[in-house]
Amino acid sequence: MEYRSSMESSETLRNKCAACYRQFNKMEHLVEHMKISYHSGHEPTCGVCKKHCRSFESLREHLIGPLPKQECKNIFSLRGCRFCMTILESPNARRIHQERCQFSSVNSGLATRMAALGLRDKSMIDNTSSRSPRVVAFSCKMVGGGSDGSLDLCARVCITDESDNVVFHTYVKPSMPVTSYRYETTGIRPENLRDAMPLKQVQRKIQEFLCNGEPMWKIRPRAGKARILVGHGLDHDLDRLQLEYPSSMIRDIAKYPPLMKTSKLSNSLKYLTQAYLGYDVHYGIQDPYEDCVAMMRLYTRMRYQKHKIEAYPLAADAQNRSNQVAWRQSEVERMSPNEMLSISRSDYYCWCLDSLA
């Protein structure tokens, strides 16, 4: 009986996923799990037990609750950073790290900064500078159109660089009448739009700036001149601005799997800023400059995570697709869980790869 129990325990361990630690009764079930789970070294990982989680929200639940793993929770409560979820060497190291990891809110909004420069808008973009940014954040504020004011119309745009400098800012004159200025959240008044830049002109300026001299059809994620665009809910913003841009150059905070809810829905920028940067936004009038700064900080935090460098990191890469087709069930079933994990690849583009470009 003891021998049989030992054999069953060994078989169960062999059928345990090396990433998420899920147990399976049969090896073929583990193989199917690995084929559809896309586990990889790019997933958020517990610094205590090394469990892979699909998102930072899932990792937070694992470490903090409501149903945490108790051993991991105990260690995290003493040595874990509540912003980046890293486990430090000691409580003192955690205190020092967390002070650096937490950002402070933007001291002055866009209006204050522009006033200090003596400017109402920064509607000219300098593309000739040798320090022209490779990555920019974009925020768009909407007023309402239509009979009930529910139709979103782009009325203000802001673009910043990685150093929080304003690259471009202007009010936008919508192509149809405004029926609701939504002043409580936008801070926009009729006089702001009276002599504002027309939508088509704004669209052209931003398009030219983002493409940076490259034809749209030639734009590639790496080794090109086109700029990476960071934002939150960019599908909607670009649609309202009637602007097209290659998806390979877009970094949308709202759709990035590690920053989404466990239900695979998007988190608000307000929540993400509070949870992962440690300060609050979107109280009262929403400043597009503050949004750009928060989005760039979130992007930068994701970009500079340290992950294992792989020649072909995506499951969609042609080389990996060929490998999966070549997999024979009998061959994979002879692999250990760790060997399966070593050949598994991510189904999303990890932003850490931008730092290799």
Side-chain angles (χ1 to χ4, degrees), residues 5-59:
S5 176
S6 175
M7 287 289 290
E8 289 176 350
S9 176
S10 175
E11 185 67 19
T12 301
L13 187 62
R14 185 170 179 265
N15 299 341
K16 181 179 180 180
C17 176
C20 66
Y21 300 156
R22 185 176 170 184
Q23 298 273 6
F24 295 90
N25 293 327
K26 297 182 178 180
M27 174 56 76
E28 55 261 38
H29 297 162
L30 171 59
V31 172
E32 289 305 312
H33 165 75
M34 293 302 294
K35 286 181 177 179
I36 64 174
S37 63
Y38 300 102
H39 287 309
S40 76
H42 295 281
E43 292 176 304
T45 304
C46 175
V48 182
C49 70
K50 308 306 179 186
K51 177 182 178 180
H52 290 225
C53 298
R54 185 62 178 175
S55 67
F56 281 99
E57 286 298 286
S58 178
L59 177 59

Side-chain angles (χ1 to χ4, degrees), residues 8 71 84 87 129 132 151 153 156 221 283 301 347:
E8 289 176 350
E71 179 186 356
C84 68
I87 305 293
S129 171
S132 186
L151 179 64
L153 305 174
R156 190 181 184 187
Y283 280 99
R301 177 151 290 175
D347 61 341

Side-chain angles (χ1 to χ4, degrees), residues 68-122:
K69 183 177 180 181
Q70 196 59 46
E71 179 186 356
C72 297
K73 178 182 179 181
N74 293 341
I75 294 176
F76 183 81
S77 64
L78 293 174
R79 298 191 278 119
C81 174
R82 66 188 180 95
F83 302 117
C84 68
M85 316 303 288
T86 300
I87 305 293
L88 284 305
E89 295 179 355
S90 67
N92 187 53
R94 171 213 184 184
R95 179 184 61 80
I96 295 171
H97 169 90
Q98 197 160 267
E99 287 176 356
R100 295 173 180 171
C101 200
Q102 180 177 13
F103 285 90
S104 58
S105 60
V106 179
N107 292 326
S108 58
L110 180 59
T112 305
R113 285 174 171 254
M114 301 301 281
L117 294 172
L119 299 171
R120 177 175 175 270
D121 289 352
K122 184 172 182 179

Side-chain angles (χ1 to χ4, degrees), residues 81-269:
C81 174
R82 66 188 180 95
F83 302 117
C84 68
M85 316 303 288
T86 300
I87 305 293
L88 284 305
E89 295 179 355
S90 67
N92 187 53
R94 171 213 184 184
R95 179 184 61 80
I96 295 171
H97 169 90
Q98 197 160 267
E99 287 176 356
R100 295 173 180 171
C101 200
Q102 180 177 13
F103 285 90
S104 58
S105 60
V106 179
N107 292 326
S108 58
L110 180 59
T112 305
R113 285 174 171 254
M114 301 301 281
L117 294 172
L119 299 171
R120 177 175 175 270
D121 289 352
K122 184 172 182 179
S123 55
M124 299 297 293
I125 304 178
D126 182 10
N127 284 327
T128 62
S129 171
S130 60
R131 299 180 63 185
S132 186
R134 165 68 174 160
V135 182
V136 294
F138 170 79
S139 179
C140 184
K141 293 302 173 186
M142 309 287 178
V143 292
S147 58
D148 60 355
S150 62
L151 179 64
D152 286 343
L153 305 174
C154 178
R156 190 181 184 187
V157 296
C158 180
I159 298 176
T160 64
D161 63 16
E162 291 181 89
S163 300
D164 301 340
N165 298 311
V166 178
V167 175
F168 179 70
H169 168 261
T170 188
Y171 288 98
V172 183
K173 192 167 189 175
S175 55
M176 63 184 295
V178 177
T179 54
S180 172
Y181 286 88
R182 304 174 183 174
Y183 177 79
E184 294 78 9
T185 56
T186 67
I188 296 174
R189 298 179 184 275
E191 53 266 31
N192 297 128
L193 305 185
R194 191 169 296 129
D195 299 314
M197 189 180 293
L199 177 66
K200 290 293 184 183
Q201 188 177 349
V202 174
Q203 177 191 32
R204 188 180 70 253
K205 281 179 174 288
I206 295 177
Q207 187 101 57
E208 290 175 353
F209 172 70
L210 293 177
C211 293
N212 196 23
E214 284 194 298
M216 186 80 73
W217 61 272
K218 284 186 66 177
I219 290 176
R220 298 291 183 272
R222 300 187 183 185
K225 295 188 295 181
R227 295 180 168 90
I228 292 172
L229 182 63
V230 177
H232 184 276
L234 279 171
D235 286 348
H236 177 259
D237 287 353
L238 294 178
D239 176 70
R240 294 294 84 199
L241 197 57
Q242 299 174 24
L243 190 77
E244 292 185 0
Y245 201 55
S247 60
S248 62
M249 302 301 292
I250 288 176
R251 306 291 180 264
D252 195 333
I253 305 291
K255 296 169 67 175
Y256 189 52
L259 292 177
M260 297 178 75
K261 299 178 181 179
T262 53
S263 61
K264 298 184 180 180
L265 297 175
S266 298
N267 276 305
S268 67
L269 181 60

Side-chain angles (χ1 to χ4, degrees), residues 310-326:
E310 300 159 330
Y312 304 104
L314 298 176
D317 288 337
Q319 291 79 2
N320 293 326
R321 287 203 304 270
S322 298
N323 288 341
Q324 288 182 1
V325 170

